[in-house]
Every structure is written in structure tokens, then in C-alpha cells.
Amino acid sequence: MALKHEPTTPHHTTQDALRVLETVARHTTGVTDVELARQTGFGTERLTPLLRMLRREGYVEQITDGAYVTGVALTRLGSAHQHEQALRDKLQHTLDRLRDSVGAAVYISRYVDGEVTITQYADGPATPAVNEWVDFRSCAHATALGKSLLGQLDHNGRRDHLSRHKMARLTSRTITSDKLLLSRLESQPPTAPHLDLQEYAVGTVCAAVPITAGSTAGCLALSLPVQHAHRLRRAADTLNRNAAPVLLSLAI
């Protein structure tokens, strides 16, 4: 099942961060920012925020002379026997931070073996998760994360999914026409968030942005009570701007 590959800012940031990280890793005794700039070709305005993110995520550290070396988080993710648990821990830490910065429950969802799967999420007393009153696997047409995942498939992939899952009406706002849904997915700009405005559940609004890593479609999503709907687009923009650390963890 083919994916459509459309560049987005988080993907570019992740690619650039990986380039910096690979350069640091080649210098076991440390490398200065001046040397990093020379070897990567990145100017200060590009390199500085990348190094800031890599330091915050624990992928690089600065030693006493100011040079950069690889950090503990990279070592853990690079360990074969620790990788799975290290990745879950790293992603959970990032999701917890995202939940607090956007003021909403946040989710990672991936399209695995033809099904929508929520792999991890972060919620809290003030940011409750969506009540899964209908299995998310059967209602991609009604959820922001489902639409984001379908939007990353090719036309045949979308058709295949919809042929296996009836487009049930969950609320008065749910799209139940496959022709209308496919048309909207086709016309959606690649960098624009997918929205769910009480289409899955009355009283809840959601947004999702793509985080495709490798050949598996993925997305970051958030949910808000409908009384906070006025914050949805701004929260979605924040989510998109902060998607790079999640992509980076998945890519390492």
C-alpha cells in the first residue's frame, strides 16, 4: 500500500537533525559548533535551533570545552536490547511535554496492517482523553487521526480501507459519503491539520498532523472539549511545530 510523500516542515527538521546527529556521532571526542556548521553546511540560524532541540531531547551533550558529543538518549535508543522500551519511554516523555504545551490530550497513531492504531497517548485531569465509545479502528472517516492516516495513503489504499469499514453515522456531523470523504482527503493541503469537529463524538473536537516515518503512515493528534474549540487551530499549529522530536525518535 503506497504512501504519498509530501515534505512538511517537521520532516525537514528531522532530516536536518539526523544529519547533525550523524556528524556528532562521527567525532567520538567531540565536535564544535563551528566545525558542525562547516561539515553540515548549515548556517548559525539553522544549526542553533537544531542543537538546542538535540540537547533538550538528550541526543547530544556539551562537554567542558563546549564541544558536542552524543548523549544518553541516543545511547539507549541505539541499544538493541533496550530499543523498544527506550523508544516508548522517550515518546511518552515527549507526549507528556506536548500535552502540557498545547493544553490538550495528545496521541500517536499509526496505520499498521491496514488498521488505525493508537500506540501511545498522554492525558491528565485537566486534559482528558477521548472516550473511545466506538472502536477507532472502525471509524477513520470520523476522526482527525483517521483522516490524517488515510490522507497519507494513495487512492487505492484509501478505497481498500473504506471497503473494509462501513462509514457509520456517529453524530449528525459525521461524513458518511465515501465520495465526499475521498474528495476532501484529495484536496487537503499536506501541511494543513485534519480536523474532527464533533464528527466522532458530540462534545469533542480533534486535530491531527502527519508524522510519517519510513513506510508506515503516522500522525500526532490532540483532543479538546467542544467549549475549547476556539483553541483548536492554534493548538494544532503548536502540535505541528513540535512534531519533529517525535519523528526524530521514530527515525533513530
Side-chain angles (χ1 to χ4, degrees), residues 1-5 111 148-162 182 185-186 217:
M1 193 171 294
L3 292 174
K4 297 194 310 174
H5 289 288
Y111 196 72
S148 179
L149 295 175
L150 291 179
Q152 295 170 63
L153 306 180
D154 61 17
H155 185 76
N156 290 337
R158 295 170 189 166
R159 281 281 187 196
D160 172 73
H161 184 92
L162 296 178
L182 289 168
L185 291 175
E186 198 64 43

Side-chain angles (χ1 to χ4, degrees), residues 104-175:
V106 292
Y107 315 76
I108 295 176
S109 182
R110 308 197 79 191
Y111 196 72
V112 181
D113 297 329
E115 300 294 348
V116 172
T117 305
I118 292 181
T119 55
Q120 283 178 254
Y121 68 96
D123 63 351
T127 53
V130 175
N131 173 35
E132 190 177 353
W133 74 285
V134 178
D135 192 327
F136 286 132
R137 290 175 297 182
S138 65
C139 49
H141 65 291
T143 63
L145 59 86
K147 287 185 280 188
S148 179
L149 295 175
L150 291 179
Q152 295 170 63
L153 306 180
D154 61 17
H155 185 76
N156 290 337
R158 295 170 189 166
R159 281 281 187 196
D160 172 73
H161 184 92
L162 296 178
S163 73
R164 292 182 286 107
H165 296 284
K166 184 179 183 297
M167 294 176 62
R169 185 177 297 282
L170 305 181
T171 77
S172 63
R173 293 172 176 262
T174 308
I175 297 172

Side-chain angles (χ1 to χ4, degrees), residues 35-138:
E35 188 60 22
L36 279 170
R38 188 184 70 79
Q39 293 190 26
T40 61
F42 296 146
T44 303
E45 72 288 345
R46 184 64 183 141
L47 184 60
T48 299
L50 289 170
L51 285 170
R52 188 183 304 123
M53 180 182 76
L54 289 169
R55 285 182 66 188
R56 187 184 68 230
E57 297 299 321
Y59 293 128
V60 302
E61 298 172 2
Q62 264 189 306
I63 51 181
T64 49
D65 63 355
Y68 291 89
V69 294
T70 55
V72 174
L74 184 65
T75 303
R76 285 199 69 206
L77 281 178
S79 168
H81 71 281
Q82 285 191 68
H83 179 78
E84 292 280 332
Q85 189 58 49
L87 180 58
R88 284 196 67 82
D89 292 347
K90 191 78 186 72
L91 290 174
Q92 194 61 50
H93 178 74
T94 304
L95 286 178
D96 289 346
R97 193 172 63 228
L98 272 174
R99 174 200 60 207
D100 296 340
S101 64
V102 302
V106 292
Y107 315 76
I108 295 176
S109 182
R110 308 197 79 191
Y111 196 72
V112 181
D113 297 329
E115 300 294 348
V116 172
T117 305
I118 292 181
T119 55
Q120 283 178 254
Y121 68 96
D123 63 351
T127 53
V130 175
N131 173 35
E132 190 177 353
W133 74 285
V134 178
D135 192 327
F136 286 132
R137 290 175 297 182
S138 65

